[in-house]
Amino acid sequence: MLTLEKMQGNWALVTGASSGIGAEFCQQFAKLGINLVMVSRNAEKINALSARLEAINKIKTIVISVDLSDPMSADKIYQEVERRNVRIRMLINNAALCYAGQFDGETNEFYSKMINVNCLTPIVLSKCLLPHLKSFEDSLILNVSSGAAYQPVPYLGIYAASKSFIHMASQALYGELREEGIMVKTFIPAPTNTSIASNKAYSGKLEKVEITVSKALKILENDDPMLMTAKNVWLQKLFVAFLPAKKLIMEAGKMFKPNRN
Ligand SMILES: NC(=O)c1ccc[n+]([C@@H]2O[C@H](COP(=O)([O-])OP(=O)(O)OC[C@H]3O[C@@H](n4cnc5c(N)ncnc54)[C@H](OP(=O)(O)O)[C@@H]3O)[C@@H](O)[C@H]2O)c1
């Protein structure tokens, strides 16, 4: 059985470690004595956080500055982890790019990057690290998804669809890898006060990032493919099941339409 207690002295790899939920996972893991591989583009930020966490918590860290939209980025991370001779026991696929607005308001290049960061790289990285994860009696892949995964969301459409992809892939992999001791979970956080949330034109209440992550860690050990800390997803699922598609889409569109009055 997966327990956080057993993870002390082991290595977790967290993508998107420079800010928001990823940085908070790093801080809370560090307090539990878990060593960290911290990945994001912003080398300055992850270096500063790594130095702080090492000084306070007596853990080891490795910083990898890489652009996860590069299709080869997962291989680069894997090579670096191998070169440093560490074995990853927990993989937190957290990094994401988000765009909220009219479909033609972003470039094709941006959409390609978003799909690579949110969908392609977490899968390839999980696959690269399987030999590491399988070498433990229990290990974890946590894929950070979203409540947006449950339905089409106009003006947030490609991000929401990318979250559906990782949400579904994660649950399928739970079914395949559980017997090998690898717990694969899809994490649906409540709307949280980070830079992604501020981009999303979301007008509801935002949870503090410390609360979001501590709630997640409290239920992380459960043998369950879903790690749900968002509230009212049951209501959203009910709407998806019973509302006609047109009604569902138009109502979601009203919530996310830019400059709505
Ligand atoms: N906040 C919410 O309300 C909410 C709700 C549901 C789900 N989520 C999910 O939570 C996760 C974390 O997001 P957040 O809310 O904490 O937002 P955030 O503060 O903007 O964090 C996003 C992280 O992703 C990294 N990232 C983005 N593009 C990257 C790239 N090309 N290469 C490497 N790293 C990249 C960023 O680092 P660099 O910029 O340094 O590269 C940053 O560390 C995401 O998967 C998001 O979809 C958030």
Side-chain angles (χ1 to χ4, degrees):
M1 201 186 95
L2 182 92
T3 66
L4 279 169
E5 208 175 51
K6 272 197 263 173
M7 295 297 155
Q8 189 176 13
N10 284 275
W11 287 85
L13 189 152
V14 181
T15 68
S18 62
S19 65
I21 293 172
E24 187 59 30
F25 265 111
C26 291
Q27 313 222 46
Q28 298 201 22
F29 280 159
K31 279 189 195 150
L32 295 169
I34 297 166
N35 299 320
L36 295 165
V37 179
M38 300 166 65
V39 177
S40 89
R41 286 168 300 186
N42 190 322
E44 207 178 307
K45 273 195 181 173
I46 39 177
N47 274 313
L49 182 59
S50 119
R52 192 151 57 80
L53 296 181
E54 281 195 356
I56 301 171
N57 302 284
K58 298 201 181 107
I59 56 155
K60 290 179 240 164
T61 66
I62 293 173
V63 163
I64 304 178
S65 167
V66 68
D67 185 342
L68 298 169
S69 71
D70 171 358
M72 293 310 293
S73 58
D75 291 279
K76 287 180 189 162
I77 294 167
Y78 178 67
Q79 295 305 333
E80 183 58 13
V81 164
E82 286 284 290
R83 194 183 70 76
R84 303 289 289 266
N85 207 19
V86 303
R87 292 198 82 68
I88 304 299
R89 193 164 180 179
M90 292 198 288
L91 167 61
I92 315 297
N93 283 315
N94 162 78
L97 273 177
C98 179
Y99 165 68
Q102 299 277 356
F103 180 50
D104 61 3
E106 257 306 344
T107 60
N108 285 344
E109 192 194 357
F110 179 86
Y111 285 126
S112 301
K113 284 186 173 182
M114 184 161 76
I115 291 166
N116 285 352
V117 175
N118 299 7
C119 305
L120 175 72
T121 300
I123 297 303
V124 181
L125 188 56
S126 302
K127 176 79 165 42
C128 286
L129 288 171
L130 268 189
H132 285 218
L133 299 162
K134 279 185 184 178
S135 71
F136 295 98
E137 100 191 71
D138 42 45
S139 55
L140 172 78
I141 301 175
L142 184 68
N143 295 307
V144 183
S145 172
S146 167
Y150 285 96
Q151 64 175 83
V153 188
Y155 309 106
L156 197 63
I158 313 309
Y159 170 79
S162 75
K163 290 291 161 181
S164 297
F165 170 87
I166 198 69
H167 183 62
M168 288 299 171
S170 186
Q171 289 172 81
L173 291 177
Y174 167 88
E176 281 188 43
L177 297 174
R178 186 180 169 279
E179 278 175 18
E180 306 197 49
I182 307 172
M183 198 52 71
V184 185
K185 289 171 179 268
T186 171
F187 175 29
I188 301 104
T192 302
N193 195 3
T194 66
S195 55
I196 277 193
S198 59
N199 286 336
K200 271 201 263 180
Y202 175 77
S203 57
K205 199 168 171 239
L206 295 173
E207 194 165 78
K208 282 188 183 158
V209 72
E210 309 87 87
I211 306 286
T212 299
V213 173
S214 58
K215 278 185 185 168
L217 293 190
K218 271 196 192 120
I219 52 171
L220 188 76
E221 295 174 357
N222 298 351
D223 179 4
D224 194 325
M226 318 291 286
L227 201 164
M228 173 90 69
T229 62
K231 289 180 191 152
N232 296 334
V233 173
W234 63 272
L235 193 60
Q236 198 182 345
K237 281 161 113 175
L238 214 62
F239 288 151
V240 173
F242 293 110
L243 282 183
K246 180 178 170 186
K247 176 90 176 148
L248 182 75
I249 293 166
M250 299 318 282
E251 287 303 317
K254 280 185 209 163
M255 286 173 68
F256 287 91
K257 190 167 186 175
N259 304 321
R260 66 191 183 281
N261 287 310

